[in-house]
Amino acid sequence: MSKRDFYEVLGVSKNATSDEIKKAYRKLAMQYHPDRNPGNKDAETKFKEATEAYETLRDDQKRAAYDQYGHDAFGQGGGGFGSYGQGGQGFDFNDIFNNFSDIFGDFGNSRQSKKRSSSQRGSDVRYNLEISLEEAFRGVNEKITFTIPVKCEPCGGKGGDKLENCSTCKGTGKIRAQQGFFIVERTCGGCSGSGQIIKNPCKSCGGSGRVNKEKTLSVKIPAGVEEDNRIRLSGEGEAGIRGGQSGDLYVYISIRRHQFFMRKGDDIYFEMPIKFTTAALGGSIEIPTIDGSKAKLQINEGSQNGDQLRLKSKGMSVMNSGGRRGDMYVKINIETPVKLSSEERELLTKLDKIMQSKASNPKSESFFKKVSDFFG
Ligand SMILES: [Zn+2]
Ligand SMILES: [Zn+2]
């Protein structure tokens, strides 16, 4: 895309006065400023385009170069915005965005409403904690250790004593500077906008009121906690700056995959191999449960591979339920023996002969009948 002529962008003639250029730009800037067109890419592009044109044409030297060589004067083939490669001071669009609302004070956006205070609330912090499924089942008090900005003890988090008005901004917290036709108001760097500086900064923290320190906390994780649950520890995040309120700590729970048990909501799923004789004759077996004990499971005579049995209230704890538990589902896998003793082989061979004469299962009986019907 070739770049539009700067005069065309601003809608002025080639011999426009600097006053006309200024007026034209102000009009476009008011119209397309990103603060007035949130999320509108087209407006943002137009604003940048107008600003670039204005930044060139307001400067007599740049304007002369542009009149003679066009866009080539600045070593840019076309398209793209950014600072100029040649031709002196570049400028940063973000800088203009950030300062613009200060120039046209009537935008009423939130950037200006920043509270003038030297103290700031500390950031919230996320801590990822992995626990076992057993721990999630019974609940656990976990100790976590991490390094975080904490309140500086020597100065009590104030950063020092003797507050004085900042000499750079004379206590206003802002600095005004001429930038083209803009009067730009910036946040004072000397006092970070608070208007006050600490005359005797604390030696331990350099005036910030906080220092990095290793902290150990005990986190109470409730029984039945689930993946991605978060536990908020109020005020245990980063300490505030210069006595500001502390942020919060969020402990995010993830649960390790268990070797045998699979959790689905409040229920536990488990697969158990059983002998084919038990499946055929029925019987009682013992299975492990998530609470660490064993449960008796009744296998019915004639159980089939893949049958699922339910053990009521042998699943996970249900959070905040006062001890209620989900269920446990046991899927049975019937194993075929692979090593037979001679006695077993003898008995099985005998059994096989007996069983040849009849189908042992109504399901396979009807299957065999269908097959023989199909093939005639
Ligand atoms: Zn200042
Ligand atoms: Zn300190």
Side-chain angles (χ1 to χ4, degrees):
M1 194 186 87
S2 72
K3 212 160 161 169
R4 277 172 76 202
D5 180 79
F6 283 158
Y7 292 101
E8 194 187 307
V9 169
L10 294 179
V12 295
S13 71
K14 290 251 191 252
N15 38 31
T17 64
S18 61
D19 213 44
E20 283 166 345
I21 287 168
K22 195 189 288 185
K23 266 191 195 139
Y25 172 59
R26 184 190 284 265
K27 203 176 137 215
L28 290 171
M30 295 292 272
Q31 188 179 348
Y32 294 119
H33 192 275
D35 283 348
R36 290 196 152 179
N37 303 275
N40 184 339
K41 282 276 159 215
D42 189 49
E44 188 182 319
T45 305
K46 286 205 163 97
F47 177 74
K48 285 180 174 179
E49 198 181 34
T51 303
E52 191 188 18
Y54 173 68
E55 285 286 325
T56 302
L57 299 185
R58 77 185 175 91
D59 181 309
D60 289 343
Q61 241 179 314
K62 281 185 194 164
R63 185 176 175 183
Y66 179 74
D67 287 346
Q68 198 168 352
Y69 304 108
H71 292 300
D72 292 342
F74 309 107
Q76 299 199 139
F81 296 100
S83 38
Y84 291 105
Q86 302 171 6
Q89 338 88 295
F91 65 96
D92 181 3
F93 282 110
N94 284 326
D95 199 34
I96 289 177
F97 281 10
N98 290 335
N99 291 316
F100 208 86
S101 51
D102 292 333
I103 307 154
F104 300 101
D106 60 346
F107 281 129
N109 72 28
S110 57
R111 286 191 192 128
Q112 268 200 317
S113 61
K114 200 180 145 199
K115 219 177 101 211
R116 257 192 62 201
S117 162
S118 64
S119 65
Q120 278 172 38
R121 184 181 182 272
S123 301
D124 292 339
V125 173
R126 174 183 176 137
Y127 186 97
N128 295 326
L129 180 63
E130 196 185 60
I131 59 172
S132 67
L133 190 63
E134 283 90 348
E135 286 171 327
F137 166 75
R138 60 173 188 263
V140 66
N141 273 315
E142 196 80 9
K143 277 208 165 28
I144 60 171
T145 299
F146 50 99
T147 301
I148 196 173
V150 299
K151 189 166 98 176
C152 172
E153 290 304 336
C155 64
K158 289 198 189 76
D161 48 22
K162 278 186 91 177
L163 282 179
E164 280 189 357
N165 272 357
C166 170
S167 59
T168 315
C169 62
K170 304 196 168 49
T172 62
K174 297 206 163 165
I175 292 184
R176 294 164 75 86
Q178 187 86 22
Q179 184 178 307
F181 87 89
F182 301 116
I183 302 271
V184 179
E185 242 186 23
R186 293 176 193 282
T187 301
C188 172
C191 58
S192 307
S194 68
Q196 296 194 308
I197 53 161
I198 295 161
K199 197 64 188 160
N200 296 325
C202 165
K203 285 190 179 64
S204 302
C205 62
S208 68
R210 52 185 207 171
V211 288
N212 277 336
K213 205 179 154 191
E214 195 178 85
K215 195 161 146 179
T216 299
L217 290 174
S218 180
V219 187
K220 193 178 175 342
I221 297 155
V225 72
E226 287 180 49
E227 183 79 17
D228 288 333
N229 278 172
R230 59 179 206 179
I231 295 157
R232 178 165 162 260
L233 297 175
S234 177
E236 298 290 0
E238 289 191 2
I241 294 170
R242 282 182 294 280
Q245 207 191 337
S246 292
D248 298 333
L249 175 74
Y250 290 94
V251 178
Y252 279 74
I253 302 296
S254 68
I255 299 166
R256 261 192 302 280
R257 221 188 146 83
H258 196 280
Q259 202 181 349
F260 306 118
F261 299 127
M262 221 253 299
R263 177 191 198 170
K264 265 189 208 165
D266 299 327
D267 298 329
I268 293 265
Y269 287 77
F270 177 67
E271 288 191 20
M272 183 73 185
I274 62 166
K275 286 192 179 65
F276 75 107
T277 45
T278 311
L281 301 169
S284 173
I285 59 165
E286 276 194 332
I287 55 157
T289 60
I290 188 67
D291 58 24
S293 67
K294 284 187 170 152
K296 270 207 159 55
L297 184 67
Q298 197 57 44
I299 307 290
N300 290 331
E301 185 180 320
S303 285
Q304 298 296 306
N305 192 44
D307 277 359
Q308 192 164 264
L309 306 171
R310 186 173 81 139
L311 281 168
K312 220 171 163 326
S313 299
K314 291 288 180 189
M316 286 298 284
S317 312
V318 179
M319 204 160 42
N320 305 322
S321 70
R324 200 156 57 79
R325 286 173 68 175
D327 300 332
M328 182 174 182
Y329 290 92
V330 183
K331 189 174 147 187
I332 51 182
N333 291 331
I334 298 172
E335 54 174 19
T336 305
V338 287
K339 275 186 200 158
L340 293 172
S341 67
S342 55
E343 192 192 3
E344 284 164 347
R345 181 175 296 279
E346 204 178 299
L347 286 169
L348 275 179
T349 311
K350 205 170 163 189
L351 180 64
D352 188 46
K353 278 203 185 102
I354 301 168
M355 291 179 85
Q356 285 297 326
S357 55
K358 63 172 181 81
S360 57
N361 180 325
K363 240 199 246 166
S364 28
E365 196 170 19
S366 75
F367 174 77
F368 290 139
K369 190 176 179 309
K370 274 182 200 155
V371 170
S372 72
D373 286 352
F374 184 81
F375 291 104

